[in-house]
Amino acid sequence: LHGSSVLQQTPAYIKVQTNKMVMLSCEAKISLSNMRIYWLRQRQAPSSDSHHEFLALWDSAKGTIHGEEVEQEKIAVFRDASRFILNLTSVKPEDSGIYFCMIVGSPELTFGKGTQLSVVDFLPTTAQPTKKSTPKKRVCRLPRPETQKGPLCSPITLGLLVAGVLVLLVSLGVAIHLCCRRRRARLRFMKQLRLHPLEKCSRMDY
């Protein structure tokens, strides 16, 4: 009877790296008078041509009993309450296959559902999700006005300013001087106009 619920195997599938240790569990859901649990290995996928390789069994009186041509230092079977553990150490890729636990009845053979073991040299790493790079927004910045260092005006500029001021002052002085001369000339002219009629009058008296 393959895949019976009487024998529950965990896990259903396991992948390990070379030279690691593996523990496969088989839990018996019934009480057995003759406590014997067999562990078998099927190297290829189940078919009419495939066969089961006897690895070891657990006996209530003798403990672990190994099969022929089995590396005994790599395989051990022990009991934990109703669970029967197959312990494999330093596994190799050739240890890959489906491992079944089995009990012998009269006349049937009852198998568990099996645990598929895959031994690889390198475990696949979990790829991190790639993050989409968001394009950065370009910020247009106006050029900052450069602050002028040192003196604000050069000596040439100061000289031109001073010369301009002097020219303005001279022009103003000349204009004032001409205005004064014109005023004086006008006053003289007015005085002469006043004197001429008096002279005429005095002549007429004579």
Side-chain angles (χ1 to χ4, degrees):
L1 301 176
H2 287 274
S4 173
S5 59
V6 174
L7 299 176
Q8 294 187 358
Q9 290 188 239
T10 54
Y13 175 80
I14 184 171
K15 179 183 286 186
V16 295
Q17 198 170 358
T18 304
N19 295 325
K20 298 296 182 180
M21 183 184 69
V22 182
M23 296 179 67
L24 309 179
S25 174
C26 176
E27 185 175 0
K29 293 297 184 180
I30 58 173
S31 58
L32 303 174
S33 56
N34 183 14
M35 294 297 292
R36 277 195 166 191
I37 296 291
Y38 295 79
W39 280 96
L40 312 173
R41 176 172 58 198
Q42 193 173 25
R43 291 187 182 272
Q44 59 184 3
S47 65
S48 58
D49 298 332
S50 61
H51 65 279
H52 294 82
E53 176 187 2
F54 170 60
L55 299 176
L57 66 88
W58 188 88
D59 184 84
S60 56
K62 298 180 181 180
T64 301
I65 300 176
H66 293 88
E68 296 180 357
E69 299 180 358
V70 173
E71 298 181 24
Q72 298 184 11
E73 64 276 5
K74 289 183 57 175
I75 298 176
V77 182
F78 58 91
R79 181 180 179 181
D80 180 16
S82 61
R83 295 192 309 144
F84 298 86
I85 310 298
L86 174 65
N87 189 41
L88 304 174
T89 58
S90 302
V91 293
K92 304 294 182 183
E94 54 267 21
D95 294 324
S96 299
I98 303 176
Y99 288 75
F100 295 93
C101 61
M102 181 194 71
I103 56 176
V104 178
S106 54
E108 74 279 355
L109 302 176
T110 303
F111 289 80
K113 293 183 179 181
T115 295
Q116 184 175 356
L117 172 64
S118 178
V119 182
V120 294
D121 291 330
F122 301 99
L123 291 175
T125 57
T126 304
Q128 296 293 332
T130 56
K131 296 181 179 179
K132 294 183 179 181
S133 58
T134 55
K136 296 182 178 180
K137 295 182 179 180
R138 298 183 63 183
V139 180
C140 296
R141 296 181 179 179
L142 296 176
R144 295 181 180 178
E146 296 183 358
T147 56
Q148 188 177 2
K149 297 181 179 180
L152 296 178
C153 298
S154 62
I156 298 176
T157 306
L158 289 175
L160 292 175
L161 290 175
V162 172
V165 172
L166 291 176
V167 170
L168 289 175
L169 291 175
V170 170
S171 300
L172 182 61
V174 171
I176 293 173
H177 178 70
L178 292 175
C179 183
C180 291
R181 290 187 63 181
R182 287 178 183 177
R183 187 175 180 183
R184 291 175 183 174
R186 186 177 179 184
L187 291 174
R188 290 175 183 175
F189 180 74
M190 292 298 295
K191 288 180 179 180
Q192 290 177 0
L193 287 178
R194 290 176 183 176
L195 291 174
H196 285 302
L198 293 174
E199 291 180 356
K200 287 181 179 181
C201 290
S202 61
R203 290 177 181 178
M204 289 178 63
D205 292 337
Y206 289 118

